[in-house]
């Protein structure tokens, strides 16, 4: 019993000593500096709002005006009158569908381009031509194909999220050390085994980098697409509130969009750590 108490006391002392070392870093890097940055943005917003107060609300006024959205994000008060939580989920569904289909197409295509020079020569001009095309330029084409707003938005997400994943996957595959592949050939390792045991693990960090960029682009694009197509979604909410000159709700939507994008990127980063078993480097 005494021995157990001594171990507990030693552990407590060691924990306190470790916390004393970590505490300044945690408080400074995780709490104070980010808080300082947010306070600077809010102060800038306040100054701009005071100079144009007829149209733009101050931060306290925006908070009061958006209390209903904040406290009741999932209300349903009739057709088209939904809380911001439902609008956010509708946009997330479109993004995840388009992004998921894009990843299913982009990763195998990136492998093919990275492993085959003829495939690279065939697909590289296509990628370089379509990669710079604005996402909104695809919207009229998708509307002509599907004649519906929802599948058109998903198609635009799909086509614009392809390129970063394809390029990064191809780069990762082509960057695998030749020494590893030479050893595999000497051991007469089958091609499929080379892919699963050597090329796939070595290219995973590149693939996840492409996926993170693609997801960020997808989330960026959906807001603009929903502004044009209408319906239910966070992008249409922004445009609708601006049409009513309700900037308080627009500021709330901007905050929600930013936080959601941060969470999505963080989730993919954690998935990368889980799959690769290596810590990710912050972008």
């Amino acid at each position: 019993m005494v021995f157990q108490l001594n171990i507990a006391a030693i552990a407590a002392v060691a924990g306190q000593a470790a916390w004393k070392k970590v505490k300044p870093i945690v408080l400074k890097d995780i709490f104070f500096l980010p808080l300082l940055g947010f306070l600077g943005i809010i102060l800038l917003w306040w100054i701009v709002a005071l100079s144009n107060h007829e149209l733009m609300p101050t931060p306290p006024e925006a908070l009061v005006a958006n209390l209903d959205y904040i406290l009741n994000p999932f209300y349903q008060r009739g057709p088209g009158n939904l809380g911001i939580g439902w609008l956010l989920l509708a946009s997330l569904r479109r993004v995840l569908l388009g992004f998921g289909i894009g990843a299913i197409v982009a990763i195998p295509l990136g492998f093919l381009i990275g492993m085959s020079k003829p495939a690279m020569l065939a697909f590289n001009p296509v990628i370089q031509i379509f990669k710079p095309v604005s996402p909104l330029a695809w919207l009229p084409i998708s509307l002509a194909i599907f004649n519906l707003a929802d599948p058109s938005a998903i198609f635009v997400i799909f086509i614009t999220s392809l390129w970063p994943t394809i390029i990064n996957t191809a780069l990762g595959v082509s960057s695998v050390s030749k020494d590893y592949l030479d050893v595999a050939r000497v051991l007469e390792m089958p091609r499929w085994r080379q892919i699963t045991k050597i090329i796939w693990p070595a290219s995973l960090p590149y693939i996840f980098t492409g996926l993170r960029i693609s997801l960020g682009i997808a989330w960026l694009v959906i807001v603009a697409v929903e502004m044009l197509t209408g319906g239910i979604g966070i992008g249409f909410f922004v445009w609708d509130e601006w049409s009513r000159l309700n900037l308080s709700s627009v500021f709330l939507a901007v905050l929600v969009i930013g936080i959601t994008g941060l969470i999505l990127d963080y989730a993919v980063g954690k998935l990368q750590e889980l799959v690769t078993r290596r810590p990710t480097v912050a972008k």
Side-chain angles (χ1 to χ4, degrees):
M1 183 68 178
V2 175
F3 180 71
Q4 292 177 345
L5 290 175
N6 288 335
I7 291 178
I10 293 171
V13 172
Q16 290 176 358
W19 171 243
K20 286 181 180 179
K21 292 181 179 179
V22 175
K23 182 179 178 180
I25 300 175
V26 172
L27 293 179
K28 181 181 178 182
D29 294 351
I30 298 179
F31 181 73
F32 284 122
L33 291 181
L35 180 62
L36 188 62
F38 279 114
L39 289 176
I41 294 296
I42 292 174
L43 180 61
L44 179 62
W45 171 11
W46 209 320
I47 293 172
V48 174
L50 289 176
S51 64
N52 190 19
H53 201 209
E54 296 81 11
L55 182 63
M56 186 175 293
T58 61
E61 291 171 345
L63 177 62
V64 172
N66 288 310
L67 275 180
D68 187 35
Y69 286 121
I70 296 171
L71 298 178
N72 304 291
F74 292 99
Y75 69 72
Q76 292 180 327
R77 298 169 184 167
N81 190 5
L82 302 175
I84 197 168
W86 294 116
L87 306 179
L88 180 63
L89 290 178
S91 297
L92 278 173
R93 182 187 65 83
R94 296 186 185 103
V95 166
L96 294 179
L97 276 174
F99 167 75
I101 298 170
I104 292 172
V105 173
I107 293 174
L109 188 57
F111 260 82
L112 177 63
I113 294 171
M115 295 175 62
S116 170
K117 188 173 182 180
M120 187 273 291
L121 293 174
F123 285 106
N124 185 57
V126 177
I127 294 172
Q128 297 307 321
I129 289 172
F130 288 124
K131 181 169 65 73
V133 175
S134 170
L136 297 183
W138 293 104
L139 185 58
I141 299 173
S142 61
L143 286 171
I145 295 172
F146 298 104
N147 203 28
L148 291 171
D150 198 52
S152 298
I154 294 172
F155 174 80
V156 173
I157 295 299
F158 160 76
I159 200 72
T160 53
S161 65
L162 279 177
W163 318 122
T165 303
I166 292 176
I167 293 170
N168 280 274
T169 301
L171 177 62
V173 171
S174 62
S175 300
V176 175
S177 175
K178 300 297 182 183
D179 295 336
Y180 296 155
L181 298 177
D182 290 340
V183 171
R185 293 190 191 98
V186 170
L187 296 175
E188 298 182 352
M189 185 180 291
R191 190 60 168 167
W192 66 268
R193 194 166 178 82
Q194 293 180 29
I195 294 173
T196 57
K197 296 297 182 180
I198 298 175
I199 300 175
W200 172 255
S203 59
L204 271 177
Y206 292 88
I207 294 173
F208 273 102
T209 298
L211 290 174
R212 293 176 75 175
I213 297 172
S214 292
L215 186 57
I217 292 174
W219 186 240
L220 182 72
V221 168
I222 191 61
V223 176
V225 170
E226 288 176 345
M227 283 183 177
L228 296 178
T229 58
I232 298 174
I234 195 70
F236 176 71
F237 175 80
V238 172
W239 188 251
D240 188 49
E241 293 302 310
W242 162 246
S243 300
R244 301 176 185 178
L245 297 180
N246 188 4
L247 275 186
S248 297
S249 298
V250 173
F251 279 116
L252 174 64
V254 168
L255 182 62
V256 169
I257 291 167
I259 292 175
T260 305
L262 178 65
I263 293 172
L264 290 174
D265 183 74
Y266 178 81
V268 177
K270 285 301 176 183
L271 180 61
Q272 178 179 349
E273 290 182 359
L274 182 65
V275 173
T276 62
R277 299 180 182 179
R278 284 181 285 182
T280 57
V281 179
K283 295 196 296 182

